[in-house]
Amino acid sequence: MQEKIDKRDRAAQFRLRLARAMEQRNISQSALARDIGVDRSTVSQLLTGHGARLPNAHVVGGCAAALGVSADWLLSLSDRPESAAELLAGSLSFTEAPRALVDEKIFEWHKEAAGYKLRYVPATLPDMLKTRAVLEWEYAPHLGRTADQAIGASEDRLAWMRSAQSDYEIAMPLFEIESFASATGYYSGLSTRVRLEQIDHLLTLCDQLYPRMRIYLFDAKRLYSAPVTIFGPLLCVFYAGSHYLAFRDRDRIETFTRHFDTLVREADVTARNFPNHLRQLRSMISEGT
């Protein structure tokens, strides 16, 4: 809640902040007067006047626009001098999402959030948990001759992400792991051998990394989530295919954290039971071989 300020104090604060903004922008009284369409004496009075009177909205808005600050800040309604557009630009960003294993931006975000809990709803099985055979099957058609080089370079980064001092909570829809096991949908054409090796790899990772890494499966008929990663309290990133949409403001991060926690709380397969679910799927694959 905004603290109530006495009229005289607000007027005095306006004069101080106006003078500070002019000094920081190196704008003279005459230049500011020209910018907002008033006499120089009007600007002088704004800076040196006394009492509780504040200028009208037109003058306040003109000063804010000319000085690149917010009117709310000049009037002590906010402690942030940035304009609304600047605040939005700082809290929301679009970043290109290339078809790559670990692109530079994602790797930077992981390093920034080292030590925090990461909450992750992947678009497919998490790249950092895939075997080399699955990575080659998935990425080789897009990477062409550079597939082996790209996968080799990515493995160091994937290893770093796995070894970083961060807790990982991963929530996936049930159909994702079941589609993988049955080689249907996105995973159509994936060989039995590769699928069995991948499930064995997941079982090994669960044994090695639990409880630092916890994987949950939710029923997409009851719950839905777009692919998203929440990097602790720092940022929340949605994957839209060609771009990432990243939020840094606290309220949105908290909102999407609660959304993720709902996926975990209502998961049909908990992290503790995930290995048993994998073994059941593995048994089904073996029986169908």
Side-chain angles (χ1 to χ4, degrees):
M1 181 180 295
Q2 180 69 34
E3 181 182 355
K4 291 185 178 180
I5 303 177
D6 180 85
K7 289 182 178 180
R8 288 182 176 275
D9 291 338
R10 191 184 299 279
Q13 186 78 332
F14 173 85
R15 292 189 288 271
L16 288 172
R17 291 188 172 186
L18 179 62
R20 185 194 311 171
M22 290 175 62
E23 180 180 357
Q24 290 174 344
R25 299 299 191 279
N26 195 26
I27 294 179
S28 66
Q29 294 185 26
S30 298
L32 181 60
R34 286 194 301 271
D35 285 341
I36 63 178
V38 298
D39 295 334
R40 182 184 180 284
S41 60
T42 300
V43 174
S44 177
Q45 187 174 6
L46 292 177
L47 293 166
T48 61
H50 300 283
R53 291 193 61 183
L54 286 165
N56 62 41
H58 171 77
V59 172
V60 173
C63 289
L67 297 171
V69 297
S70 74
D72 282 354
W73 179 74
L74 287 175
L75 294 171
S76 298
L77 298 174
S78 169
D79 291 328
R80 299 291 298 271
E82 302 94 332
S83 66
E86 290 172 328
L87 288 172
L88 181 60
S91 65
L92 173 64
S93 63
F94 290 93
T95 305
E96 187 175 359
R99 181 64 174 173
L101 288 172
V102 185
D103 64 84
E104 292 297 331
K105 179 53 67 175
I106 282 286
F107 193 49
E108 287 175 12
W109 286 331
H110 273 271
K111 290 190 291 185
E112 180 183 354
Y116 289 110
K117 178 194 287 188
L118 277 72
R119 298 169 171 89
Y120 182 31
V121 180
T124 62
L125 290 180
D127 282 348
M128 64 186 291
L129 305 182
K130 290 173 181 171
T131 63
R132 186 179 182 89
V134 172
L135 292 172
E136 290 174 346
W137 172 84
E138 186 171 6
Y139 285 96
H142 307 280
L143 300 175
R145 294 180 180 178
T146 63
D148 188 68
Q149 180 181 3
I151 290 170
S154 73
E155 286 177 337
D156 291 339
R157 294 177 182 178
L158 296 174
W160 182 91
M161 288 160 59
R162 281 199 291 256
S163 64
Q165 296 304 308
S166 298
D167 283 357
Y168 280 86
E169 282 191 339
I170 301 170
M172 294 187 291
L174 274 163
F175 72 77
E176 189 68 41
I177 192 69
E178 292 172 357
S179 293
F180 174 84
S182 60
T184 58
Y186 182 83
Y187 303 99
S188 177
L190 193 57
S191 72
T192 299
R193 177 185 61 81
V194 170
R195 285 181 283 140
L196 288 172
E197 288 177 352
Q198 177 64 71
I199 288 180
D200 288 341
H201 182 61
L202 284 174
L203 286 168
T204 298
L205 291 176
C206 287
D207 181 59
Q208 291 175 346
L209 301 179
Y210 183 86
R212 193 165 61 81
M213 183 189 74
R214 300 182 293 280
I215 301 176
Y216 301 82
L217 302 178
F218 61 89
D219 184 354
K221 293 191 294 292
R222 294 190 303 107
L223 302 166
Y224 173 76
S225 178
V228 60
T229 306
I230 304 167
F231 294 86
L234 304 179
L235 75 158
C236 173
V237 180
F238 283 89
Y239 177 60
S242 61
H243 288 77
Y244 300 114
L245 176 62
F247 297 93
R248 284 191 177 272
D249 58 298
R250 184 182 61 187
D251 290 343
R252 285 181 175 82
I253 293 172
E254 290 179 351
T255 295
F256 296 124
T257 296
R258 289 195 296 271
H259 161 73
F260 184 93
D261 290 345
T262 297
L263 300 178
V264 169
R265 186 172 58 253
E266 299 191 17
D268 289 59
V269 177
T270 66
R272 189 176 294 275
N273 292 329
F274 179 68
N276 290 334
H277 189 73
L278 283 179
R279 294 186 186 97
Q280 292 174 7
L281 293 175
R282 195 190 191 290
S283 176
M284 293 170 58
I285 296 173
S286 299
E287 291 172 1
T289 300

